[in-house]
Amino acid sequence: PKLFAIAKKTKPPTTVMAVGSWLNSNPVIGREILDGGHDLGNHTLNHRTMTTLTLKEAMAEVAKGRSAIMKSVGKSSKLFRPSGTQKSNEIIRKAAGASGYANCITYDVDTLDYQDPSAKAIVGNCMRSVQNGSIVSLHFGHAHTVTALPLLIQALHGRGLTPVTVSTLLRP
């Protein structure tokens, strides 16, 4: 809720790659994400490291993540990001394709916020490598991410960059 309040106040739309088990535990959040003008994508059911899974396991993770989104918002998402890895591999791409995802979304800027550094470090990690067209990885559930978000948005604007959703960024 704190992150969405900041996003509402500072106006950047976000893309939430949601873990299905989180959506299942918070059934109204998917609709709140979409109603707030944000993107909602599939980030698997249980956030397992997909590069360690068999094809059958990967297919189940993707399909059940997709089902959680469908249950939460009544429709699927076109966005999928594999969990536990920055890059997809053949098994991940086959699993994603089996659930109707034409592409696997990745990111090029890792803020390392999941390691719980300071808000200043999160902003610094982003600003060192962010450029026009970057996809920045941030995570819910980390207090310093919440603190860093308005500072990060201000720093991005200071560089002439405007945050957009992944679907807007990749729109043809």
Side-chain angles (χ1 to χ4, degrees), residues 122-141:
I122 292 168
V123 173
N125 290 341
C126 179
M127 297 310 291
R128 269 190 286 286
S129 56
V130 73
Q131 57 189 334
N132 191 33
S134 284
I135 296 177
V136 177
S137 177
L138 293 164
H139 295 80
F140 289 158

mmCIF file of all heavy atoms in Angstrom, residues 122-141:
data_model
loop_
_atom_site.group_PDB
_atom_site.id
_atom_site.type_symbol
_atom_site.label_atom_id
_atom_site.label_comp_id
_atom_site.label_asym_id
_atom_site.label_seq_id
_atom_site.Cartn_x
_atom_site.Cartn_y
_atom_site.Cartn_z
ATOM 1 N N ILE A 122 20.130 2.105 -3.030
ATOM 2 C CA ILE A 122 19.181 1.677 -4.070
ATOM 3 C C ILE A 122 19.159 2.703 -5.201
ATOM 4 O O ILE A 122 19.242 2.338 -6.381
ATOM 5 C CB ILE A 122 17.774 1.464 -3.472
ATOM 6 C CG1 ILE A 122 17.783 0.263 -2.521
ATOM 7 C CG2 ILE A 122 16.734 1.269 -4.575
ATOM 8 C CD1 ILE A 122 16.537 0.136 -1.668
ATOM 9 N N VAL A 123 19.042 3.966 -4.839
ATOM 10 C CA VAL A 123 19.028 5.033 -5.851
ATOM 11 C C VAL A 123 20.352 5.030 -6.619
ATOM 12 O O VAL A 123 20.374 5.102 -7.849
ATOM 13 C CB VAL A 123 18.739 6.404 -5.213
ATOM 14 C CG1 VAL A 123 18.894 7.523 -6.228
ATOM 15 C CG2 VAL A 123 17.336 6.421 -4.603
ATOM 16 N N GLY A 124 21.453 4.940 -5.904
ATOM 17 C CA GLY A 124 22.764 4.918 -6.549
ATOM 18 C C GLY A 124 22.931 3.733 -7.485
ATOM 19 O O GLY A 124 23.455 3.879 -8.600
ATOM 20 N N ASN A 125 22.490 2.552 -7.044
ATOM 21 C CA ASN A 125 22.578 1.358 -7.883
ATOM 22 C C ASN A 125 21.815 1.542 -9.186
ATOM 23 O O ASN A 125 22.249 1.095 -10.242
ATOM 24 C CB ASN A 125 22.034 0.127 -7.144
ATOM 25 C CG ASN A 125 22.924 -0.312 -6.006
ATOM 26 O OD1 ASN A 125 24.098 0.040 -5.942
ATOM 27 N ND2 ASN A 125 22.356 -1.069 -5.090
ATOM 28 N N CYS A 126 20.691 2.202 -9.109
ATOM 29 C CA CYS A 126 19.887 2.453 -10.304
ATOM 30 C C CYS A 126 20.540 3.500 -11.201
ATOM 31 O O CYS A 126 20.725 3.278 -12.398
ATOM 32 C CB CYS A 126 18.480 2.894 -9.923
ATOM 33 S SG CYS A 126 17.426 3.262 -11.331
ATOM 34 N N MET A 127 20.890 4.598 -10.621
ATOM 35 C CA MET A 127 21.338 5.739 -11.417
ATOM 36 C C MET A 127 22.685 5.511 -12.092
ATOM 37 O O MET A 127 22.993 6.142 -13.088
ATOM 38 C CB MET A 127 21.373 7.003 -10.549
ATOM 39 C CG MET A 127 19.996 7.415 -10.008
ATOM 40 S SD MET A 127 18.687 7.504 -11.255
ATOM 41 C CE MET A 127 19.242 8.922 -12.198
ATOM 42 N N ARG A 128 23.487 4.573 -11.577
ATOM 43 C CA ARG A 128 24.773 4.264 -12.205
ATOM 44 C C ARG A 128 24.611 3.702 -13.612
ATOM 45 O O ARG A 128 25.460 3.905 -14.466
ATOM 46 C CB ARG A 128 25.557 3.261 -11.359
ATOM 47 C CG ARG A 128 26.474 3.904 -10.357
ATOM 48 C CD ARG A 128 27.406 2.898 -9.711
ATOM 49 N NE ARG A 128 26.763 2.038 -8.733
ATOM 50 C CZ ARG A 128 26.388 2.430 -7.528
ATOM 51 N NH1 ARG A 128 26.579 3.671 -7.144
ATOM 52 N NH2 ARG A 128 25.821 1.595 -6.696
ATOM 53 N N SER A 129 23.521 2.970 -13.859
ATOM 54 C CA SER A 129 23.406 2.305 -15.160
ATOM 55 C C SER A 129 22.111 2.571 -15.915
ATOM 56 O O SER A 129 21.962 2.137 -17.049
ATOM 57 C CB SER A 129 23.597 0.792 -14.991
ATOM 58 O OG SER A 129 22.676 0.279 -14.065
ATOM 59 N N VAL A 130 21.172 3.281 -15.320
ATOM 60 C CA VAL A 130 19.897 3.527 -15.994
ATOM 61 C C VAL A 130 20.096 4.428 -17.209
ATOM 62 O O VAL A 130 20.955 5.312 -17.211
ATOM 63 C CB VAL A 130 18.848 4.121 -15.022
ATOM 64 C CG1 VAL A 130 19.153 5.573 -14.672
ATOM 65 C CG2 VAL A 130 17.439 3.970 -15.574
ATOM 66 N N GLN A 131 19.332 4.139 -18.226
ATOM 67 C CA GLN A 131 19.336 4.969 -19.430
ATOM 68 C C GLN A 131 17.941 4.929 -20.039
ATOM 69 O O GLN A 131 17.083 4.171 -19.590
ATOM 70 C CB GLN A 131 20.381 4.471 -20.425
ATOM 71 C CG GLN A 131 20.203 3.025 -20.817
ATOM 72 C CD GLN A 131 21.384 2.503 -21.628
ATOM 73 O OE1 GLN A 131 22.071 3.257 -22.282
ATOM 74 N NE2 GLN A 131 21.606 1.213 -21.577
ATOM 75 N N ASN A 132 17.713 5.735 -21.046
ATOM 76 C CA ASN A 132 16.422 5.736 -21.713
ATOM 77 C C ASN A 132 16.113 4.320 -22.205
ATOM 78 O O ASN A 132 16.940 3.691 -22.859
ATOM 79 C CB ASN A 132 16.450 6.719 -22.885
ATOM 80 C CG ASN A 132 15.078 6.959 -23.457
ATOM 81 O OD1 ASN A 132 14.090 6.939 -22.733
ATOM 82 N ND2 ASN A 132 15.007 7.186 -24.752
ATOM 83 N N GLY A 133 14.942 3.809 -21.871
ATOM 84 C CA GLY A 133 14.543 2.468 -22.282
ATOM 85 C C GLY A 133 14.880 1.370 -21.291
ATOM 86 O O GLY A 133 14.548 0.213 -21.520
ATOM 87 N N SER A 134 15.515 1.720 -20.180
ATOM 88 C CA SER A 134 15.865 0.710 -19.177
ATOM 89 C C SER A 134 14.623 0.150 -18.497
ATOM 90 O O SER A 134 13.606 0.843 -18.356
ATOM 91 C CB SER A 134 16.769 1.317 -18.091
ATOM 92 O OG SER A 134 18.082 1.479 -18.541
ATOM 93 N N ILE A 135 14.737 -1.087 -18.065
ATOM 94 C CA ILE A 135 13.754 -1.700 -17.188
ATOM 95 C C ILE A 135 14.459 -1.908 -15.855
ATOM 96 O O ILE A 135 15.493 -2.575 -15.781
ATOM 97 C CB ILE A 135 13.214 -3.031 -17.753
ATOM 98 C CG1 ILE A 135 12.462 -2.773 -19.063
ATOM 99 C CG2 ILE A 135 12.307 -3.716 -16.726
ATOM 100 C CD1 ILE A 135 11.947 -4.025 -19.754
ATOM 101 N N VAL A 136 13.907 -1.311 -14.801
ATOM 102 C CA VAL A 136 14.517 -1.295 -13.473
ATOM 103 C C VAL A 136 13.805 -2.312 -12.588
ATOM 104 O O VAL A 136 12.578 -2.344 -12.523
ATOM 105 C CB VAL A 136 14.413 0.118 -12.850
ATOM 106 C CG1 VAL A 136 14.975 0.141 -11.441
ATOM 107 C CG2 VAL A 136 15.117 1.138 -13.736
ATOM 108 N N SER A 137 14.579 -3.126 -11.889
ATOM 109 C CA SER A 137 14.025 -4.118 -10.975
ATOM 110 C C SER A 137 13.971 -3.564 -9.557
ATOM 111 O O SER A 137 14.990 -3.146 -9.000
ATOM 112 C CB SER A 137 14.890 -5.385 -11.008
ATOM 113 O OG SER A 137 14.411 -6.335 -10.070
ATOM 114 N N LEU A 138 12.772 -3.559 -8.989
ATOM 115 C CA LEU A 138 12.527 -3.196 -7.595
ATOM 116 C C LEU A 138 11.608 -4.260 -7.003
ATOM 117 O O LEU A 138 10.878 -4.925 -7.737
ATOM 118 C CB LEU A 138 11.866 -1.822 -7.482
ATOM 119 C CG LEU A 138 12.707 -0.622 -7.908
ATOM 120 C CD1 LEU A 138 11.822 0.609 -8.114
ATOM 121 C CD2 LEU A 138 13.779 -0.334 -6.868
ATOM 122 N N HIS A 139 11.606 -4.395 -5.682
ATOM 123 C CA HIS A 139 10.837 -5.457 -5.025
ATOM 124 C C HIS A 139 9.950 -4.911 -3.914
ATOM 125 O O HIS A 139 10.382 -4.061 -3.129
ATOM 126 C CB HIS A 139 11.790 -6.494 -4.435
ATOM 127 C CG HIS A 139 12.580 -7.222 -5.462
ATOM 128 N ND1 HIS A 139 13.690 -6.689 -6.055
ATOM 129 C CD2 HIS A 139 12.396 -8.440 -6.018
ATOM 130 C CE1 HIS A 139 14.189 -7.553 -6.931
ATOM 131 N NE2 HIS A 139 13.416 -8.621 -6.928
ATOM 132 N N PHE A 140 8.740 -5.454 -3.836
ATOM 133 C CA PHE A 140 7.861 -5.165 -2.711
ATOM 134 C C PHE A 140 8.434 -5.814 -1.451
ATOM 135 O O PHE A 140 9.224 -6.740 -1.525
ATOM 136 C CB PHE A 140 6.469 -5.766 -2.945
ATOM 137 C CG PHE A 140 5.656 -5.091 -3.994
ATOM 138 C CD1 PHE A 140 4.621 -5.769 -4.606
ATOM 139 C CD2 PHE A 140 5.889 -3.790 -4.378
ATOM 140 C CE1 PHE A 140 3.835 -5.171 -5.565
ATOM 141 C CE2 PHE A 140 5.119 -3.168 -5.335
ATOM 142 C CZ PHE A 140 4.078 -3.873 -5.926
ATOM 143 N N GLY A 141 7.989 -5.350 -0.313
ATOM 144 C CA GLY A 141 8.334 -6.011 0.936
ATOM 145 C C GLY A 141 9.672 -5.605 1.526
ATOM 146 O O GLY A 141 10.150 -6.246 2.453
#
